[in-house]
């Protein structure tokens, strides 16, 4: 009994020391992560292009296997951010943690422009997932070499690529009954997102087989200028595939008309039924 008691006492005495060591280790790793080592640069920083991806909440839920998982927060009325993804790079540095406090100053704007649309995932967990999988790779670029800087850049890009305004100005409005020629959608977006062949205007099929606008992928170079040519990384999509039966969509057929469903907060998985 005495020996057991002494053992517990020793552990209790060491615990604060171990805690301090652990905290210092995390701090050191976080600080060192601001500057990639030569080995890390060679392994993870060879990517040249990014895809800035925006999604339309009105049709996002159509691709879910379990439609009951979908939710659209009542304040969401516009296109939202899906992610900023370096090509051919994925989960580059798991040693770089992210905490909600890192994004405190951006929280209101992120909640409006980059919300989670899944009941099973809070918005912060969505952001955390994006940082670990994609932000840690984008951190090779000095302007994105911290969680705060990465998400600040994403918000600036969202303001730069105002798809809502571009479609509205072209007379393309959400509707359950009216569809639009693909050429009209493409022409409306080209002044904003460019006409680079790597731009992807994506659709998803609803239960009636209609082509429904769901997502736009915008190619960017490392300095965030429009246009970049690098073969797509097939593993770069951020969602677990088991969530979807058709998402993240496919290029909208150029010889087809495209529907632009309205956002339905009450029935997000059946916006037009």
């Amino acid at each position: 009994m005495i020996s057991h008691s002494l053992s517990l006492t020793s552990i209790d005495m060491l615990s604060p020391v171990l805690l301090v060591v652990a905290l210092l280790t995390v701090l050191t790793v976080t600080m060192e992560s601001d500057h990639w080592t030569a080995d890390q640069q060679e392994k993870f920083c060879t990517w040249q292009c990014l895809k800035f991806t925006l999604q339309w909440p009105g049709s996002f839920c159509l691709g879910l296997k379990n439609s009951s998982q979908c939710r659209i927060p009542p304040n969401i009325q516009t296109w939202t951010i899906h992610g900023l993804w370096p090509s051919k790079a994925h989960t580059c540095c798991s040693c770089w943690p992210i905490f909600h406090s890192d994004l405190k100053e951006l929280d209101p704007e992120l909640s409006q422009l980059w919300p989670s649309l899944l009941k099973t995932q809070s918005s912060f967990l969505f952001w955390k997932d994006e940082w670990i999988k994609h932000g840690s790779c984008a951190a090779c670029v000095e302007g994105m070499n911290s969680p705060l800087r990465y998400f600040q850049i994403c918000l600036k890009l969202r303001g730069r690529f105002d798809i809502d305004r571009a479609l509205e100005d072209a007379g393309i409005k959400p509707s359950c009954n009216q569809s639009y020629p693909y050429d009209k959608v493409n022409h409306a977006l080209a002044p904003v997102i460019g006409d680079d062949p790597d731009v992807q205007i994506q659709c998803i099929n609803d239960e009636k087989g209609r082509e429904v606008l769901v997502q736009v992928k915008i190619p960017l170079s490392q300095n965030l200028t429009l246009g970049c040519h690098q073969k797509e990384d097939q593993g770069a999509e951020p969602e677990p595939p088991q969530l979807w039966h058709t998402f993240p969509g496919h290029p909208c057929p150029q010889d087809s008309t495209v529907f632009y469903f309205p956002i339905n907060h009450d029935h997000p998985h059946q916006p037009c039924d």
Side-chain angles (χ1 to χ4, degrees):
M1 292 293 293
I2 293 176
S3 175
H4 180 65
S5 176
L6 288 173
S7 177
L8 290 175
T9 302
S10 300
I11 291 174
D12 288 340
M13 292 176 64
L14 286 173
S15 292
V17 176
L18 293 173
L19 179 60
V20 170
V21 171
L23 290 174
L24 288 176
T25 300
V26 170
L27 178 61
T28 301
V29 168
T30 303
M31 293 175 65
E32 289 178 350
S33 296
D34 288 335
H35 304 282
W36 290 78
T37 66
D39 288 343
Q40 287 173 320
Q41 288 279 354
E42 182 177 353
K43 184 175 181 181
F44 298 124
C45 299
T46 57
W47 59 268
Q48 301 172 357
C49 305
L50 305 102
K51 286 288 179 72
F52 182 59
T53 305
L54 296 169
Q55 63 188 6
W56 176 240
S59 50
F60 167 87
C61 304
L62 295 176
L64 288 175
K65 285 184 178 179
N66 182 356
S67 59
S68 65
Q69 292 185 14
C70 189
R71 67 175 177 89
I72 302 176
N75 60 312
I76 302 304
Q77 301 286 349
T78 63
W79 284 73
T80 61
I81 299 170
H82 199 168
L84 178 63
W85 311 327
S87 298
K88 295 189 174 183
H90 194 280
T91 315
C92 295
C93 181
S94 59
C95 64
W96 201 333
I98 179 173
F99 304 98
H100 205 165
S101 57
D102 295 331
L103 305 178
K104 185 176 181 180
E105 66 183 79
L106 302 180
D107 195 289
E109 198 171 1
L110 285 172
S111 296
Q112 181 67 41
L113 298 176
W114 199 338
S116 169
L117 302 179
L118 297 174
K119 293 179 181 178
T120 55
Q121 184 183 53
S122 69
S123 288
F124 173 69
L125 288 180
F126 184 21
W127 307 333
K128 180 179 179 180
D129 196 46
E130 288 293 309
W131 167 253
I132 292 172
K133 291 182 178 180
H134 306 289
S136 64
C137 303
C140 295
V141 176
E142 185 175 351
M144 294 186 279
N145 62 349
S146 74
L148 179 62
R149 291 176 179 178
Y150 173 74
F151 285 98
Q152 283 176 330
I153 288 293
C154 291
L155 290 173
K156 288 180 181 179
L157 290 173
R158 173 60 181 81
R160 175 181 168 188
F161 299 115
D162 191 348
I163 292 179
D164 299 275
R165 174 65 61 85
L167 293 173
E168 184 177 356
D169 288 350
I172 301 173
K173 300 179 179 181
S175 171
C176 289
N177 301 313
Q178 183 177 359
S179 62
Y180 302 91
Y182 171 84
D183 286 345
K184 183 172 182 176
V185 176
N186 185 48
H187 183 74
L189 295 179
V192 178
I193 65 176
D195 56 0
D196 188 284
D198 285 346
V199 168
Q200 294 184 33
I201 301 174
Q202 294 190 322
C203 286
I204 195 169
N205 295 115
D206 69 353
E207 293 179 350
K208 297 180 180 179
R210 294 176 289 190
E211 297 288 349
V212 184
L213 184 62
V214 67
Q215 189 163 254
V216 174
K217 290 184 175 181
I218 306 166
L220 303 172
S221 62
Q222 280 196 7
N223 64 2
L224 303 180
T225 56
L226 266 175
C228 195
H229 302 281
Q230 187 173 358
K231 187 176 292 185
E232 180 99 9
D233 176 11
Q234 297 302 315
E237 298 298 342
E239 286 80 22
Q242 63 268 22
L243 285 175
W244 315 102
H245 60 77
T246 58
F247 207 80
H250 55 266
C252 297
Q254 297 186 20
D255 59 352
S256 176
T257 59
V258 176
F259 281 86
Y260 184 27
F261 284 174
I263 293 174
N264 187 328
H265 295 93
D266 295 327
H267 304 285
H269 58 288
Q270 293 180 321
C272 288
D273 292 335

